[in-house]
Structures are given as structure tokens and as C-alpha cells.
Amino acid sequence: MKKKIIAGFLIACISSMLIGCGKANAGSNVQDNDNKKLKVMVSIYPLKQFTEKIAGDKAEVTCLVPDNMEPHDYEPKTKDLEKLTNSQIFVYNGLGMETWVDKVNDVIKDKNVLSVNSSDGIDQRKEGDAIDPHSWLSLKDAEKQSDNIKNALIQCDEKNRDYYEENYNKFKDELENLYNEYQPKFSQLNNKDFITGHAAFGYLCRDFGLTQKSVENLFAEGEPTPKQLEELVGFCKENNIKTVFSESLASPKVSETLASEVGANVVPILTLESNEDNKDYIYAMKYNLDEIYKCLSNESNKNS
Ligand SMILES: [Zn+2]
């Protein structure tokens, strides 16, 4: 089984090397485009943010998953694939976030679209048998994903290499500064457990040594059974949990029910899975870290 997977992986790697920015290199597509901008299609919103930070005004970035849509439920339509074949670069998250990506890669493989698995090189998390796809909620993994995106931009548009490198370095500094600001704060806390909507924060937790408990699973599927809800209520009471985080796109009602059962506050948290109000990535992550820290430090005080 393992051998098969590795063989499949190698084939995927070789074919992704063969897919280039053929048209871009040949000088036709890019040159003919409006303002000579690269056309980049990304699968989900955080990748749009990463790509725009690095590409600046050199690319037009569009997102496959429509705004305000829970991406775990998304399937591309024929018109999406048409748009995609007119792009020079397709950036996807990988780690199983896009369950449909093999089909899409099959469609674009002869179309001179550079297909980029942005999570290539990330140490993947597993929960049971399932791979956790939410790598972009880790500041460290976001840096790796942005690096992969930067390399793809350079591959398709070598003449702007310095511009992309400079933008990437700026963004990398922002990511690292935010990590360095919160790492010492979280390391001082006794309480490391928080309650959230769906299990999207595993990579963030890994960065900071925290633990999430969630109302819904990794793929935002299925509201909890009465028994699971009862367990969560028990956990909240036992651990004196005073905050339940809630996502607008994943069972906010269940989060509210849980909070009222245990006398906790409901505080919004941002998974960035979909575009809601064009939130800036750094702004949203700082908001999340700040709210998680406030929640845990209150609870730490009460416990000690
Ligand atoms: Zn998710």
C-alpha cells in the first residue's frame, strides 16, 4: 500500500514538473493579457491572500470557492474549469482540502497551467486516519505555503523575481513577528484547551502547544450527537470553560447551545476558509490569537 502511494506521489511530482507555464514561457499568453498581468486561480481564500501579498500588482488573483461558502462542501462547475484553463497558475491547498483536485489537475494538465500544491513540504497532521487540511491557520505553515507560491510566480514570471522575493520577505517577517509575539504568551499559560466550531485549528495548536475541542469534526460534517454534546458540556464544566468560539459557517447554533448550557460566552473565531468581508490574513490571525489568549488566560487565572 505504502509503495503504491509513493509511486503515485512520484508520478504526481514528475507530471507537475512537466506542467509548466508553457504559454507564458513562449511569450504569448502573458504578453497578450490586459496590462500583462499573470492570471492566477487559487482554490480557497487564504491562498488568495498569500498570492496577493507576494504578487502585488503583477497578478490578477481569483478564487474558485465563492465568497461566504463553506469550502468543505464545494465542487467545481464546468464554468469554473473554463476560467481555470485561462489562467497561468493554479494554486491549491493540498492535504485533501480540495477533494476534487485530481480531477481538476487532469483537466488542466495539457493546458499550460502551472499547478501548485502549496502545502508541499509541510509536516502533515493526522487525526485518526484523516489528514488535517487546515495548514494555513499555522503561521509557520503559511510561510511555507507562501514560499511555494512565490517560487511558482518566479517560475512563470522570472523577470519580476526581485519584486516577488521582496514582497515574500516582507510577508514572512510579518508572519514571524506575529508568531514571536504570541509564542511566549501562550507558553506561560497553564490552561491550553479551548472549544471551537469545527476542528480547524490543529496546525495553529501545534505551533503554540495548545489543544482544541470542537463542536464539529475536521471537515465540518455532522453536528454532534446528543452524547457528544453531553461530553463537551462535561468537559466545559470540568475545565471551567468560559468561552466557546463560534464560526459563522459551521454550526454557530450548536456553539451557542453549548455556551448557554455551561454559562460561557460565545466569541467569533475566523478560519479564513471562505472570504467573509475581505479580512486581511495577518489581521485575522492576530484577532484569533488575541481572542484565544484572552480566553485561556482568563481561565488560567480562575484555575490557579
Ligand atoms: Zn475546515
Side-chain angles (χ1 to χ4, degrees), residues 245-294:
F245 290 108
S246 164
E247 296 162 34
S248 55
L249 298 176
S251 296
K253 289 230 167 69
V254 184
S255 298
E256 281 160 28
T257 308
L258 175 63
S260 75
E261 286 271 329
V262 300
N265 297 316
V266 179
V267 174
I269 197 162
L270 308 169
T271 63
L272 292 158
E273 281 190 0
S274 190
N275 181 10
E276 300 172 83
D277 312 324
N278 292 311
K279 288 211 173 57
D280 173 74
Y281 177 82
I282 296 285
Y283 167 87
M285 288 302 286
K286 190 171 168 51
Y287 167 85
N288 285 339
L289 292 170
D290 205 45
E291 291 298 332
I292 295 169
Y293 178 72
K294 273 198 274 183

Side-chain angles (χ1 to χ4, degrees), residues 137-140 173-189 191-192 204-210 245 281-297:
L137 287 164
S138 151
L139 295 167
K140 291 185 172 292
D173 284 348
E174 285 185 79
L175 294 168
E176 290 181 357
N177 288 343
L178 194 55
Y179 177 81
N180 292 335
E181 184 185 341
Y182 280 88
Q183 199 282 329
K185 289 185 167 193
F186 283 122
S187 72
Q188 284 165 8
L189 296 175
N191 184 18
K192 312 277 188 188
L204 180 149
C205 286
R206 184 169 75 182
D207 276 2
F208 295 104
L210 307 174
F245 290 108
Y281 177 82
I282 296 285
Y283 167 87
M285 288 302 286
K286 190 171 168 51
Y287 167 85
N288 285 339
L289 292 170
D290 205 45
E291 291 298 332
I292 295 169
Y293 178 72
K294 273 198 274 183
C295 151
L296 295 181
S297 56

Side-chain angles (χ1 to χ4, degrees), residues 2 19 81 117 122 138 164 167 238 240 244 267 293-294:
K2 260 208 177 120
I19 304 167
L81 295 176
N117 177 359
I122 282 175
S138 151
Y164 298 133
N167 286 345
E238 215 170 281
N240 200 21
V244 172
V267 174
Y293 178 72
K294 273 198 274 183

Side-chain angles (χ1 to χ4, degrees), residues 70-72 97 132-134 136-137 198-200 217-220 247 271 273:
E70 164 55 58
H72 293 294
M97 185 65 199
D132 180 354
H134 305 91
W136 66 89
L137 287 164
H198 86 290
N217 73 1
L218 275 179
F219 308 104
E247 296 162 34
T271 63
E273 281 190 0

